[in-house]
Structure formats: C-alpha cells, structure tokens
Amino acid sequence: MSPRVTLAVARRVLIQLRRDRRTLAMLLVLPCLIMALLWWMFQDKPSFGFGALAPALLALIPFIIMFLVTSVTTLRERTSGTLERLLAMPMGKGDFLLGYALAFGLVAAVQSALAVTLSIWALDLDVHGPVWMLLAVAVVDAVLGSALGLFVSAFARTEFQAVQFTPALVIPQILLCGLFVHRDELPPFLHGVSDVLPLSYAVDAMRKVSGDADPAVWGDLGLVAAFALAALVLGALTLRRQSE
Amino acid sequence: MMKSGVDVSDLRVVRGGAEVLHDLTFSVEPGEVTGLLGPSGCGKTTLMRAIVGVQRISAGRVTVFGEPAGAASLRARIGYVTQAPSVYDDLTVEENLVFFAAVLGVPRDRVDECLRVVALEPERGRVVRALSGGQRSRVSLAVALLGEPALIVLDEPTVGLDPVLRKDLWETFHRLADEGAAVFVSSHVMDEATRCDRLILLREGRIIADDTPPGLLEKTGAEDIETAFLDLVARAAS
C-alpha cells in the first residue's frame, strides 16, 4: 500500500462525483431537506419529537446514503473491467478500499456539516455535547456505510441486485437501532441482535452527544469504527486478482 | 540474461465445468509481434487472461519473464488491454491517464507520450463517454502503454477502427516490439495475420498452427491465411 495510490483513488472518485452534478447536489441537499421535513412534522408538538429523533436521523442518513452510493459505484467498477485492470497493476487492495473510504468519508463530512448546521441554527436542535463530535460520529458512520456497501457489491451481479441489499441489510438495522422502540424494551432476543448491529452504536453515540454536555462516546464510536474496519477487511477478501 | 517472454506449457483451463483450453504449449518472444488468431469463442480471451494472471489455471504452467503468471513483481511489467475498454466513462481522456499513471507511479510526461502514440491528443479534454468506440479502445490502449511494459497483451485491439488507424496501430505494435517488448495480439480477422511476425492459430481451445505467416502459407500451400486456416481445420478433422 502507498499513500500515493490511495490518494490517487480518492481523488479520482471525487472527480467522478464532481462531474455527476445531479448526484452531488442530491448528496448535499437531500439530508437537509429530510431534517427540515422532520422538524416540520413535529411543529405542533414541540415537547416531543424533533429533538429526540433528529440525532438518530443524523446517524442514519450518512450510513444509508454512503451504503447505496458505494455499493453501486464499486459494482460498476467490478463490471466495467476497471477493477480487474487496477488489480493487474501494482495497486494494493488496501489502496483501493481506503481511497474509496477517504473520498466518501470526505463527502459525508461535508454532507453532515450542512445537515448539522441547518439542524442547530435554523431548526433549533438542542445539542449539549460538542458539535464536532456529531460530525465525527457521522463520518465514521459514513465510512461504515461505504465499507459495507463495498463488501456487498461482491455479491451482486447487477445494479438491481445491489440496491436490494438496502432492505436486506439497512432497514432491519433502522428498525432495531432504538429509533422506534428503545433497545432496552425490545424482546430479549431482538435486543441481543441489536447489540451486534453497528448502527445501534452509531445512534447511541449521536444521542449521547446531543443529550449530554460531556458525552462518553468513544466506546460507541470505537465499536462503529471496528465494524467499519471489519467490513473493509471483508471487502478486501472480495477483491480477487484471479477469477475461475 | 534475457529470459524468453512468455512460456506456456501444457496449459489447461476449465471454466464453468467445461474445459476451454486443452494442453496448450507455445511461447511469445520479446522483440516480436505474435498474433493469436481464431474464431470468436475459441478461447483467445481466456488464454490471454491466463498469461496476464487473472485467470485461474487447472493444469500446466505459464511463466512470464521466468516468473509464474500473476506474480506481484510482474504487475508493473505487463500492459493488458481487454476487449471492452476498461477505462472510466465519466472521466476525461487525460484524467483517466493521469489516474492510472499515479497508480503505476510513472511520471506525468508518460501521459503525453502515450496520448501521442494512440493519436488522441486532440481529445484529451473530452469525457470518455462522449467518444466513439474506436477512440475509447485507444484510451484503454494508452493506459496499457503508460508503464512502458515489457509484455503487451492486446485482446482484439483493432475492432471497429478505420483502416488508416488500424495500419497506424499495427505500426505502433511493431515499434514497441522493435524496442524490445513482447507483443501478443489477438484478432478474429484473418487479414490481420500477415501483419504479425508469428502466428498462433487457435480453434476450439487447441493450437492448430504455430508458425510465421510465410511459413504457414508454404506448409499448407494456401494463397492466404484464411484459406490456410480452413485447410488446417479440414486436415485436423480428417
């Protein structure tokens, strides 16, 4: 692995994204619109709602979007032959994976910065902890989404199949992350399941940052990062230089 | 000491349960343009993939410059152009080359040189998606040449090109061979055979001839390579 190659991959992914203006605009604007929609829903119920749900949503959005974007992009890379070409070159698999993680992590940082700024200053979201921590959680979360997306793209032959991994892998995590029913109140088995799902910890971390002036999030954040790392390692295993 | 370019012995490849290459033995020498000719579906691409090291082989041995195909140390020395151009559609010609140059770790001026070789300098700022099919495959070729590879493997590089360009490309292949590279080109167009220094005719996963073009004509008494090919097929059948 070399920083030169990693950065070249990241830079190339960002150039591709910049050229696709519509995708870029959606990446940056949609999270803001969703936060505004959530705020509007609870306008007549100020005591309940937006303040409780917004932190969870700020954790979910980068994860979901980066999962989708990465699974489709890397699938395209697998089917167009560019991945095979890269693997035939002196490029480490880690360079490829980290390059993608870096590029999408950066996009997620900008994306979350916009959504967080809007939520705090325009929509009056109360954040007790440091704002930069919200961003840190969002970025780690986005990297997790990218890493998982990269991994599952190995199991899809078409883009249709790739997008089906969202209901398969993402929606159960949304249901069990504590957004609908507190994780403590889930049936014991499902509570156990939610304990091994990374998104649960991302949402916990977001909640702690927004609710606690001195949040203890490193444990949660560390777990999310460990999941992301594990997904990247699994992703590396799917990048095979030889085919049958 | 300069080892020979590619050595293939008793190569057998099984894909999807069927044997597609049956005990192939041949070599590709540096300084020559070796043509791999045969109808589509005869196993040309599989053979090329085995040499480049991206195809798992079932039996036999493939060595490139004395090392087993696919060895990490070979990666910087092989340029492989797949049939479908494997470049990024949404980048410009130049952005593609600059990216792959960074991956290979070659200086930026190689980008200009390779663009010149494939005659794409005027299109350097255009997005690949907007180019014609022939131009796209030339971008792919330019990427393969970036690292000044000692072995160049080209899978049907001249499909869909106009005759003038085709002639130019063949001249480029010979120039690269003159500079010492081993050039291995596949084609299903028999009239391209005469442009090769050496020919390997492949049919249904078997080599039916391995000779120079004049040698092949002499041996079969045919007037052109296409007739020679048909003649050899008939002989093999009888």
Side-chain angles (χ1 to χ4, degrees), chain B residues 1-24:
Chain B
M1 187 196 86
M2 185 71 205
K3 292 213 174 89
S4 74
V6 179
D7 272 308
V8 176
S9 57
D10 304 313
L11 168 68
R12 193 181 301 161
V13 173
V14 176
R15 292 186 73 186
E19 193 173 303
V20 287
L21 295 179
H22 320 282
D23 304 310
L24 304 187

Side-chain angles (χ1 to χ4, degrees), chain B residues 68-189:
Chain B
S73 56
L74 288 173
R75 277 178 213 141
R77 304 167 69 192
I78 301 179
Y80 174 40
V81 188
T82 50
Q83 216 161 349
S86 31
V87 288
Y88 296 98
D89 262 359
D90 44 2
L91 294 182
T92 65
V93 175
E94 188 170 6
E95 284 164 350
N96 265 293
L97 271 89
V98 168
F99 167 63
F100 286 110
V103 172
L104 289 165
V106 299
R108 277 288 289 264
D109 51 358
R110 283 296 297 157
V111 170
D112 298 306
E113 282 173 48
C114 293
L115 281 175
R116 204 172 315 128
V117 169
V118 299
L120 274 180
E121 283 168 305
E123 325 297 333
R124 63 190 303 152
R126 288 179 68 196
V127 175
V128 170
R129 190 185 289 126
L131 300 178
S132 72
Q135 288 171 326
R136 254 184 265 184
S137 25
R138 272 145 66 205
V139 181
S140 201
L141 173 62
V143 171
L145 298 180
L146 277 172
E148 296 182 84
L151 168 66
I152 305 163
V153 179
L154 305 122
D155 200 352
E156 310 235 357
T158 56
V159 171
L161 297 186
D162 75 73
V164 178
L165 205 59
R166 222 157 78 173
K167 184 170 153 286
D168 287 351
L169 274 184
W170 277 101
E171 278 165 10
T172 305
F173 301 156
H174 279 286
R175 203 167 56 242
L176 294 165
D178 291 343
E179 287 164 12
V183 182
F184 192 43
V185 193
S186 78
S187 176
H188 66 273
V189 189

Side-chain angles (χ1 to χ4, degrees), chain A:
Chain A
M1 268 179 67
S2 85
R4 181 195 80 233
V5 179
T6 310
L7 288 176
V9 172
R11 192 166 161 268
R12 189 261 302 166
V13 173
L14 289 173
I15 294 177
Q16 285 178 296
L17 215 50
R18 192 187 64 199
R19 190 140 292 134
D20 186 352
R21 295 259 165 83
R22 197 175 299 176
T23 299
L24 194 58
M26 291 210 285
L27 280 174
L28 299 180
V29 174
L30 277 181
C32 293
L33 290 179
I34 292 172
M35 294 314 289
L37 176 65
L38 185 73
W39 169 83
W40 196 6
M41 280 165 62
F42 290 101
Q43 226 194 353
D44 298 333
K45 292 183 145 197
S47 60
F48 166 83
F50 183 65
L53 293 174
L57 220 57
L58 286 172
L60 291 179
I61 292 173
F63 174 79
I64 300 171
I65 294 182
M66 291 307 155
F67 176 83
L68 268 174
V69 170
T70 319
S71 58
V72 172
T73 339
T74 48
L75 178 70
R76 211 181 285 164
E77 189 125 35
R78 284 174 203 274
T79 50
S80 70
T82 47
L83 179 64
E84 187 173 276
R85 168 165 247 166
L86 283 172
L87 289 175
M89 286 183 175
M91 179 197 71
K93 295 172 183 179
D95 290 320
F96 181 81
L97 293 162
L98 277 188
Y100 262 95
L102 211 61
F104 285 131
L106 192 68
V107 174
V110 178
Q111 181 189 57
S112 300
L114 290 174
V116 167
T117 307
L118 179 92
S119 304
I120 293 177
W121 280 283
L123 308 177
D124 290 326
L125 177 67
D126 235 356
V127 177
H128 295 280
V131 172
W132 67 266
M133 270 194 181
L134 275 186
L135 285 180
V137 178
V139 169
V140 175
D141 217 16
V143 172
L144 171 71
S146 288
L148 273 179
L150 227 144
F151 172 60
V152 302
S153 73
F155 303 99
R157 286 190 186 283
T158 66
E159 292 176 16
F160 281 137
Q161 292 177 3
V163 294
Q164 295 301 325
F165 281 113
T166 304
L169 285 179
V170 177
I171 293 182
Q173 293 202 62
I174 298 177
L175 292 178
L176 297 176
C177 74
L179 188 63
F180 296 92
V181 177
H182 265 281
R183 293 211 292 128
D184 298 336
E185 295 162 20
L186 286 168
F189 179 74
L190 290 183
H191 188 201
V193 172
S194 82
D195 277 344
V196 294
L197 297 177
L199 208 53
S200 309
Y201 298 100
V203 170
D204 284 354
M206 277 297 194
R207 286 219 166 116
K208 284 180 192 163
V209 176
S210 62
D212 195 336
D214 186 19
V217 294
W218 297 113
D220 292 317
L221 205 55
L223 272 172
V224 179
F227 273 109
L229 200 64
L232 281 175
V233 171
L234 287 175
L237 296 178
T238 69
L239 300 177
R240 257 166 293 180
R241 291 186 200 269
Q242 278 196 338
S243 67
E244 289 291 335

Side-chain angles (χ1 to χ4, degrees), chain B residues 33-92:
Chain B
V33 176
T34 306
L36 176 64
L37 270 87
S40 29
C42 71
K44 296 191 295 289
T45 300
T46 306
L47 175 54
M48 295 194 134
R49 288 171 49 86
I51 289 173
V52 175
V54 295
Q55 170 69 52
R56 199 166 297 169
I57 64 178
S58 313
R61 202 164 49 92
V62 181
T63 57
V64 179
F65 305 122
E67 294 184 63
S73 56
L74 288 173
R75 277 178 213 141
R77 304 167 69 192
I78 301 179
Y80 174 40
V81 188
T82 50
Q83 216 161 349
S86 31
V87 288
Y88 296 98
D89 262 359
D90 44 2
L91 294 182
T92 65

